[in-house]
C-alpha cells in the first residue's frame, strides 16, 4: 500500500527545494485544475500521456494537502466509507442520492 503521508511530505519537499509556490493556495488549485484539463485533453485526443497528466493532478493534490495540513490518506478513506454507504435510485437515467 502507498503511504500518502510520506508522499505528501516528499512532494512538498520537492516544491520547496525547487522554489515552487507553497504559499498561494488559490494558485495551487488553479494548477491542479489545469493539469486535470490537460489529462482530459490527452484523453480526448487519444494520447498516451493521460496517466502522466493524472499523476500531475495527484501531485498537486498531495502538495496542497501538505501545505494545508490535511491528512489526505485519512480523508480519502473516510470519504470512501461515506460513498460506499450512500444509496441511490435511477430516475430517467440519472442517479439520485437518497440519503447522506
Amino acid at each position: 500500500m502507498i503511504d500518502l503521508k510520506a508522499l505528501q511530505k516528499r512532494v512538498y519537499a520537492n516544491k520547496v527545494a525547487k522554489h515552487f509556490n507553497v504559499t498561494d493556495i488559490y494558485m495551487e488549485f488553479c494548477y491542479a485544475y489545469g493539469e486535470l484539463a490537460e489529462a482530459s485533453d490527452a484523453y480526448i485526443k487519444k494520447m498516451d500521456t493521460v496517466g502522466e497528466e493524472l499523476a500531475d493532478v495527484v501531485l498537486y493534490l498531495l502538495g496542497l494537502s501538505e501545505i494545508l495540513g490535511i491528512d489526505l490518506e485519512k480523508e480519502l478513506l473516510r470519504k470512501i466509507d461515506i460513498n460506499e454507504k450512500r444509496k441511490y435510485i435511477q430516475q430517467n437515467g440519472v442517479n439520485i442520492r437518497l440519503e447522506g
Side-chain angles (χ1 to χ4, degrees):
M1 190 133 187
I2 294 175
D3 182 350
L4 286 185
K5 290 178 195 176
L7 284 178
Q8 281 183 213
K9 293 186 184 317
R10 186 173 169 190
V11 168
Y12 181 80
N14 184 61
K15 289 172 92 53
V16 170
K18 303 260 173 46
H19 305 286
F20 291 149
N21 174 58
V22 293
T23 58
D24 188 336
I25 303 305
Y26 179 74
M27 184 186 303
E28 290 299 292
F29 276 109
C30 290
Y31 286 148
Y33 178 81
E35 292 297 341
L36 188 57
E38 287 180 16
S40 175
D41 190 54
Y43 174 76
I44 289 167
K45 294 177 179 175
K46 301 191 184 332
M47 299 168 68
D48 61 356
T49 58
V50 177
E52 181 178 348
E53 297 301 344
L54 288 174
D56 285 340
V57 173
V58 173
L59 288 171
Y60 274 104
L61 295 178
L62 288 169
L64 259 169
S65 297
E66 187 64 20
I67 291 166
L68 295 171
I70 294 169
D71 182 342
L72 191 57
E73 182 174 351
K74 177 181 152 192
E75 293 299 327
L76 279 169
L77 293 172
R78 184 183 71 78
K79 188 61 178 182
I80 288 168
D81 286 341
I82 289 169
N83 287 346
E84 288 175 341
K85 293 173 186 167
R86 284 187 171 155
K87 306 232 185 291
Y88 295 85
I89 61 168
Q90 277 210 355
Q91 291 181 346
N92 300 321
V94 176
N95 277 342
I96 307 294
R97 189 167 73 200
L98 295 176
E99 56 188 61

